[in-house]
Amino acid sequence: CWLTNLVKVYLFTSLDVKKYEKLGKTILPTRNAFASYAQKSMKWLDEEIEICDPELIITLGAAPAQYLIKTTQARSVSLLDGLLRSYDVNGKQYPLISLPHPRILSRKKSQSWMKLFDKRICSAAKNSLNVLRSTNGVEEQVPSEELG
């Protein structure tokens, strides 16, 4: 098992800034620069993937799905569906499944996400894992270029 973050630095929110100000420290909010940091982090993420050579990559949340599947922010939310796709690192295809971030599933306001997760996403992810096991990750993947 290997866990990592897409962005390799902590992104300060406005709430973080207020907390630091109470301590007499000055920091700048960086959360709004996520896209820039994510794009710059892809090089290191690809190197980590090559070193770890994972059998499966699971993204949690729309932002990692957006950058690994190479799609738009609006489309990335619809890809949190548990279906098997692939991610290319220097010509090698790695199986990839995108799931909603646990934080969104735990919010009381996110009942629709929880219902969707229970009804469709969870079973799709299980089916994807079964396909991956039966084909050793070689077939049945949706290449990310086709998802545009």
Side-chain angles (χ1 to χ4, degrees):
C1 179
W2 161 71
L3 285 175
T4 192
N5 287 323
L6 172 61
V7 174
K8 305 302 179 190
V9 296
Y10 183 77
L11 298 174
F12 293 101
T13 66
S14 56
L15 183 60
D16 295 324
V17 172
K18 289 177 185 175
K19 288 177 184 177
Y20 274 82
E21 286 173 350
K22 287 180 182 178
L23 297 171
K25 305 287 182 184
T26 303
I27 62 167
L28 299 173
T30 53
R31 181 71 189 150
N32 58 350
F34 178 85
S36 173
Y37 284 115
Q39 195 60 45
K40 292 175 184 175
S41 296
M42 291 304 295
K43 175 180 112 178
W44 290 293
L45 182 64
D46 286 351
E47 288 176 9
E48 285 181 37
I49 291 170
E50 282 186 306
I51 291 168
C52 293
D53 195 26
E55 293 180 25
L56 174 65
I57 298 170
I58 299 174
T59 63
L60 299 176
Q66 176 185 349
Y67 287 91
L68 270 71
I69 298 174
K70 297 177 178 74
T71 190
T72 64
Q73 183 177 7
R75 174 116 165 79
S76 65
V77 174
S78 69
L79 299 174
L80 305 178
D81 54 13
L83 296 178
L84 190 60
R85 296 182 173 81
S86 63
Y87 177 65
D88 180 87
V89 178
N90 294 324
K92 182 170 181 182
Q93 297 294 314
Y94 293 90
L96 177 138
I97 294 174
S98 296
L99 299 173
H101 194 283
R103 185 175 44 234
I104 197 166
L105 296 173
S106 66
R107 292 181 183 154
K108 289 182 181 179
K109 296 178 181 178
S110 299
Q111 291 303 313
S112 59
W113 268 108
M114 201 61 210
K115 287 178 185 173
L116 185 63
F117 186 78
D118 286 343
K119 285 186 175 186
R120 289 201 331 220
I121 298 172
C122 192
S123 62
K126 286 178 184 177
N127 290 338
S128 293
L129 289 173
N130 287 334
V131 167
L132 185 60
R133 286 183 188 123
S134 69
T135 63
N136 292 328
V138 178
E139 301 170 12
E140 302 291 328
Q141 298 175 29
V142 180
S144 56
E145 307 86 53
E146 293 178 15
L147 300 171

